[in-house]
Amino acid sequence: MNKLECVICDLDGSILDSNRTLNSTDLNTIKKLKEKGIKFLICTGRPFTFTKQVISDIGKDTISINCNGAYVYDYLKEEVIYHEEEIAREDVLNIYKFCKENSYPYMIYALEGIFFDNENSKRTRFWMKQRDINFKDENKFDINYFNGETDNLHFMKVIHPYVPDDFKSILDKKFNLNERYEVSSSEKGIINITSKGINKGHAVEKMSKLLGFDLKNTLILGDNYNDESMLKIAGYAVVPSNGEEAMKKLATFITSSNDEAPLTNAIKNLFPEILD
């Protein structure tokens, strides 16, 4: 059997449980992986500020790929290692105006911060609750609201939560006829927009070259459509039992649900010697 060189995990729906926290069993497994010299990375749709608490628990030497591959963040140096092409400010402004006019919810992720739509939206309340329950004081983030100002901001992702099933086609027809952007789904009812060519798989390929690990010897855990590109290039594609059926068809191994230490279960079955 090939030696495992790297493990890469999605967060929500994958290694985080239904309460959006990291299971202590999987946390111990991550520490064992690191002790054995196996690289461990996070690859998530979240911006780095929403990932700080998980990274704090795992260790600040953990690099995270954020916003579905739009940029990579180093928590020890507190800086962006690299970022891909930004979403044009004019397009962000047009999407913002369209959402305001039609009462569609949105969130805007820039390198400089996260911008919510309004204080009463469902997504704002969700992240306020997450911040208050799951984030220690030193890892809490500010709640900012977008007002249409785009100067000096570098936009990496726009997210539309709790939207109807046909919203992706609406966005494609109105803003993406020339296919300048990637429009993907991360959870049911949640649509993501990034610049064309930005996806998790592309970012993982970049990091494999930068950090020197072989994708054939890499285990990747993911559950949803925005994980598809990285699951397809993994030597060991692992999908939790709660994952999308289409992702399970890509899996080398279907592990336990995100509430049942999915990473530990996968390592026990695929690389049992690591946990001996």
Side-chain angles (χ1 to χ4, degrees), residues 106-169:
Y106 64 88
M107 289 176 64
I108 298 171
Y109 297 169
L111 292 179
E112 295 77 16
I114 313 138
F115 298 91
F116 294 84
D117 46 7
N118 64 77
E119 62 184 9
N120 296 314
S121 72
K122 184 176 178 181
R123 199 64 174 176
T124 304
R125 295 197 307 272
F126 169 83
W127 277 110
M128 282 181 172
K129 183 177 180 181
Q130 287 296 311
R131 180 188 65 175
D132 293 343
I133 293 175
N134 291 330
F135 285 68
K136 294 177 181 177
D137 288 345
E138 63 269 23
N139 296 319
K140 288 184 176 179
F141 48 86
D142 295 330
I143 301 291
N144 301 304
Y145 302 103
F146 192 66
N147 60 6
E149 293 294 327
T150 61
D151 291 346
N152 302 315
L153 294 175
H154 300 81
F155 299 106
M156 306 311 299
K157 178 179 168 182
V158 179
I159 180 172
H160 299 279
Y162 317 119
V163 289
D165 292 341
D166 64 347
F167 192 75
K168 181 180 184 298
S169 63

Side-chain angles (χ1 to χ4, degrees), residues 92-104:
V92 170
L93 197 55
N94 287 335
I95 292 169
Y96 158 72
K97 289 177 180 177
F98 170 73
C99 290
K100 288 273 287 184
E101 290 168 1
N102 294 278
S103 299
Y104 286 126

Side-chain angles (χ1 to χ4, degrees), residues 191-208:
I191 301 296
N192 308 278
I193 302 174
T194 55
S195 289
K196 187 68 178 176
I198 294 178
N199 57 59
K200 291 185 177 185
H202 178 68
V204 167
E205 287 178 327
K206 267 196 168 183
M207 293 309 294
S208 73

Side-chain angles (χ1 to χ4, degrees), residues 164-181:
D165 292 341
D166 64 347
F167 192 75
K168 181 180 184 298
S169 63
I170 293 172
L171 285 178
D172 277 332
K173 289 175 183 177
K174 191 163 184 67
F175 299 106
N176 204 31
L177 289 176
N178 57 2
E179 297 186 343
R180 291 173 61 191
Y181 298 110

Side-chain angles (χ1 to χ4, degrees), residues 44-52 66-67 71 75 109-110 114:
T44 177
R46 294 184 180 199
F48 78 90
T49 43
F50 287 176
T51 311
K52 285 177 74 174
N66 298 92
C67 290
Y71 66 92
Y75 290 85
Y109 297 169
I114 313 138

